[in-house]
Amino acid sequence: GPAVWLTELSTGSGGAINVAGSLRMQSYKMALAIASPYTTAEVRGVRTREAVEEFGRRLRSQGLLNGLPAGREHPVRIRYDELEKTFTNVIQPSAIGSITSEEDRRRFLDNIPTFVDRVDGFVFALEADLNARLRLLKIVLTVTLSGALGVTFLMLWIMRRRIFDPILELGRALGSVREGGFDVRVEEGERNEIGLLRRDFNFMTEELGRLYGSLEAEVAAKTADLHQRNELLGLLNRAAEALQSEGAGFEAAVRDVLREAEGFLKCTGLAVYVRPADGTELIRFAATDDWTDAEARRAEMRGASGDVMGEMRALGLPDDDGSVNALETLAGIMGRALERAVKKQDERRLAVLEERSTIARELHDSIAQSLSFSRIQLLRLQRAVDGGAARDEVSSITAELREGISSAYRQLREVLTAFRLQVNASGLAGAVDETVRAFENRTGVPVRLQNRYLGAELTANELVHLTHILREALSNVEKHARAKSVAVTVEGLEGGGFRLAVEDDGIGLPEKAEKASHFGLGIMAERAQALHGTLTCSRRPEGGTKVELIRPALY
């Protein structure tokens, strides 16, 4: 602070000294302009005025005034005031008067040496004041630096005594702890941050010693618990894989899982009780060989939907959390497997019922109609024979009867062909490709196939319905369209649905489509409804027919 203050005070002193020194030279220029014998009076007057004005301008310049001390009683300030007063009252009037008056000229020349001495004294006073300030600045800086060094060494001594030495001692103690010496302690010292750190260190070493003493036992216990958990995970994984079986194999898989779980849980018997559809008393589904109907610990078996599928019971189960949790986890897996098995069984039953209903519709709409027509023709034939009808009439009835029986036989073969459909391992892509290739080989009509749907979300029953719809649409093209080419498109829709389109360039959809297609469109619409989709048949603007099935996303 003092150094900055002194420097600020000394900022203008150098400039002031330069300006004050130039006043001495300017005094000589005034004297030379007034005393020069080689110029005319007019030129001497101009030069004199210029020299006097220049001296006054420098004497009162801001550069000189900024370097003067602020106090009026300061010696430098007093010298300046005297110099400025002499110039104003003596030198300037006599210099201006010397232009026209010889007496003023002599007076100026007599006073100018004394005035120059005053200027020199003022300059020397400025230099002396600046030197005094610089000496004071040097003293202040020396004292400040000495004080800073003294404070620095004092702080280093204090820091070494209160911080470094305690930390070094703490470091040596940590080295002992690293080598296993948990009985080492340090003095807590003063109640400051270092003291708190040393106190915490003592607490830490005490706790480490206590924990290290029982560490091996805890590690052994944790290792045993981890081994048991790994065995449980393995058991649960094997159980989940085994319970993927279906039909009679599911019950055998349940018994195998129970036998393996019995050894793991260290119990004397395990059994699975399921709840029948009518909600009556639980019945035993499977059990281990040594199972007895005694009091046992029970765990509910819940499916993925949250419904209670039954109970898993364990005899002689150890009364600890690990065994109880293992039993409950295994019961959860068993419940989801039971729910999945029941759902698959229901799906198979529903598929069988749907297929039976479809077969009945097919037989009713095709073969039954033809057989009914044949029966009427037989009745006509009998009446014609009994009535002694002409030979031509009998032959006509016989031909119609033969045509009806042939139509019934042909329709029977179509029904058998349709319902012998099987979905191979290649899934939707293979079924669509096989149906299209069979149509091409049978009719010679080229088919442009675009299958951009993987069919990953279709069940086996849905896949059968979709393939039947495609076959029926191609069959209609073969029988009625007289098409030269066919386009089949299967693609997925946003959200999980799909679209099937069969387009031909034939004669177009007849006005009475139901009759013309022998009830095929009705059956296709029913299959589309079973898929939760919509089926539309329409004429194409460019000619031909378009059959389109759209099944939106169900969820």
Side-chain angles (χ1 to χ4, degrees), residues 470 473-474 477 486-489 500-504 545-548:
L470 176 60
L474 292 176
V477 173
V486 181
V488 177
T489 304
L500 167 66
V502 179
E503 301 176 76
D504 64 72
T545 304
K546 177 180 178 181
V547 178
E548 186 177 46

Side-chain angles (χ1 to χ4, degrees), residues 144-160:
T144 303
L145 179 60
S146 301
L149 290 175
V151 171
T152 301
F153 282 111
L154 178 62
M155 290 296 297
L156 288 175
W157 180 79
I158 294 175
M159 291 175 66
R160 178 177 179 180

Side-chain angles (χ1 to χ4, degrees), residues 235-452:
L235 171 63
L236 296 178
N237 183 52
R238 291 190 297 273
E241 292 180 355
L243 295 176
Q244 298 292 329
S245 304
E246 298 182 9
F250 179 75
E251 184 176 353
V254 171
R255 283 195 294 269
D256 292 340
V257 170
L258 291 179
R259 280 193 291 268
E260 184 177 2
E262 182 182 22
F264 176 80
L265 296 175
K266 297 181 177 58
C267 59
T268 58
L270 275 176
V272 171
Y273 284 75
V274 298
R275 188 180 303 279
D278 56 5
T280 57
E281 185 178 355
L282 296 176
I283 60 174
R284 189 171 66 189
F285 178 75
T288 56
D289 298 335
D290 49 0
W291 173 260
T292 58
D293 290 327
E295 186 64 27
R297 183 180 289 274
R298 304 182 181 188
E300 285 187 342
M301 297 188 303
R302 291 183 177 271
S305 61
D307 296 336
V308 178
M309 305 301 298
E311 291 180 351
M312 178 175 282
R313 301 178 182 180
L315 293 175
L317 183 71
D319 192 12
D320 59 81
D321 294 339
S323 300
V324 174
N325 291 336
L327 178 64
E328 292 177 351
T329 305
L330 188 60
I333 292 178
M334 191 71 69
R336 288 188 290 272
L338 281 171
E339 183 183 51
R340 187 168 54 251
V342 171
K343 187 178 296 185
K344 287 183 178 180
Q345 185 178 4
D346 291 342
E347 289 178 356
R348 286 194 296 269
R349 186 182 299 111
L350 180 61
V352 171
L353 293 176
E354 288 182 357
E355 286 302 315
R356 287 181 178 178
S357 176
T358 304
I359 293 173
R361 288 194 302 267
E362 290 280 359
L363 292 176
H364 177 270
D365 294 338
S366 58
I367 300 174
Q369 299 291 336
S370 297
L371 291 178
S372 177
F373 172 77
S374 299
R375 187 178 65 178
I376 294 174
Q377 294 301 103
L378 281 174
L379 182 60
R380 286 182 58 201
L381 179 62
Q382 182 180 0
R383 290 179 179 178
V385 172
D386 293 341
R391 182 181 181 87
D392 292 341
E393 183 181 356
V394 173
S395 298
S396 175
I397 296 174
T398 304
E400 291 179 0
L401 180 60
R402 186 184 303 109
E403 178 65 24
I405 294 174
S406 298
S407 177
Y409 178 72
R410 184 173 60 255
Q411 291 171 357
L412 176 61
R413 289 185 62 85
E414 289 179 359
V415 171
L416 292 176
T417 301
F419 286 98
R420 287 179 61 188
L421 173 66
Q422 294 181 355
V423 180
N424 53 29
S426 58
L428 176 63
V432 171
D433 186 71
E434 180 182 352
T435 303
V436 169
R437 298 298 166 249
F439 173 81
E440 286 182 327
N441 296 334
R442 186 172 64 253
T443 63
V445 178
V447 179
R448 185 174 68 256
L449 173 62
Q450 292 183 348
N451 187 359
R452 297 188 292 268

